[in-house]
Amino acid sequence: GEIRGFEARFMGANRPDAGLNLFDPEQGGALLHRGIYPLSMAHFLLGPVAEMQGMARLGESGVDEDSVLILRHESGALSTLRASLRAAGPEGATLWGTAGTLHIQGPIWRPTGALLQPVTPSGGSGGAKRLEAFRESHAGQRISRRLGQIKKLVRRSGTPIGGPVAGNGYHYEAEAVMQAVASGLTEEPRMTLDDSVALVELMDRARALWSAEARS
């Protein structure tokens, strides 16, 4: 179906330490160290970004310890991305489409697989109104609570995708570069120089925005 949205995060709880590059104002921050992963995946899966909004919480060191980006891609799809140096969050990402939902499992820098769940769009307005009325009834609410309890006990269904992942995931990048060099290529076609520049420009725009807000 049509891809409508994407949501991902890379979060980890760290104690502020000026000796760590994570908290170095010249090279640190949640966006640069962690937000780049969900941002890169959003750009790869949904395409170029037409519009971006961002917010951050700056620490005493001056770096963004928490950041959130909202993207509107040229396709019209929307992405919400979160990064943190101070708080932990659930791993994985989700890609929403009109015919299915793809749950990407594992840490964002090393996805271990995915689960594809088919989606059946609802029918006409009449049926939707009747369903909503039932949901708001006492019987509907009792059934909804019961279903929620059952869902906690039953494994989320869907079609698993993917195979075994070796190492920490980063060696796949090195292998791709070596294969490109061996083939006489000057850039990896799946991640071109233009792609890299576009991602850096997006991060620079976001960081300039919240740095200006901090000074005002």
Side-chain angles (χ1 to χ4, degrees), residues 101-103 105 113-118 155-162:
T101 300
L102 186 67
H103 300 280
Q105 302 163 333
L115 194 67
L116 178 62
Q117 292 181 303
R155 179 180 180 274
R156 187 168 58 187
S157 62
T159 302
I161 300 173

Side-chain angles (χ1 to χ4, degrees), residues 11 19 23 40 52 72 79 83-84 110 163 169 181-182 205 208:
M11 304 172 65
F23 298 93
S40 179
M52 179 186 69
R72 183 188 301 279
S79 294
S84 180
R110 182 182 176 272
V181 171
R205 282 169 50 193

Side-chain angles (χ1 to χ4, degrees), residues 37-175:
Y37 290 88
L39 176 61
S40 179
M41 184 173 284
H43 187 272
F44 180 79
L45 293 174
L46 280 68
V49 175
E51 183 180 357
M52 179 186 69
Q53 296 182 8
M55 297 185 69
R57 179 174 179 177
L58 305 183
E60 293 183 0
S61 64
V63 306
D64 55 299
E65 296 183 345
D66 301 276
S67 64
V68 177
L69 297 181
I70 301 176
L71 313 177
R72 183 188 301 279
H73 298 264
E74 292 181 1
S75 64
L78 303 176
S79 294
T80 54
L81 315 172
R82 178 180 291 272
S84 180
L85 300 179
R86 300 295 308 280
E91 296 181 341
T94 304
L95 186 68
W96 289 285
T98 55
T101 300
L102 186 67
H103 300 280
I104 302 171
Q105 302 163 333
I108 196 72
W109 72 91
R110 182 182 176 272
T112 55
L115 194 67
L116 178 62
Q117 292 181 303
V119 171
T120 302
S122 301
S125 60
K129 290 180 180 178
R130 289 192 295 271
L131 178 59
E132 185 62 27
F134 174 73
R135 286 175 175 170
E136 294 177 355
S137 68
H138 292 297
Q141 292 178 15
R142 287 198 301 271
I143 292 174
S144 178
R145 288 194 295 269
R146 182 58 177 166
L147 288 175
Q149 294 171 352
I150 293 174
K151 287 180 180 179
K152 292 180 181 180
L153 301 175
V154 179
R155 179 180 180 274
R156 187 168 58 187
S157 62
T159 302
I161 300 173
V165 178
N168 61 14
Y170 295 112
H171 65 284
Y172 293 112
E173 298 178 58
E175 291 174 358

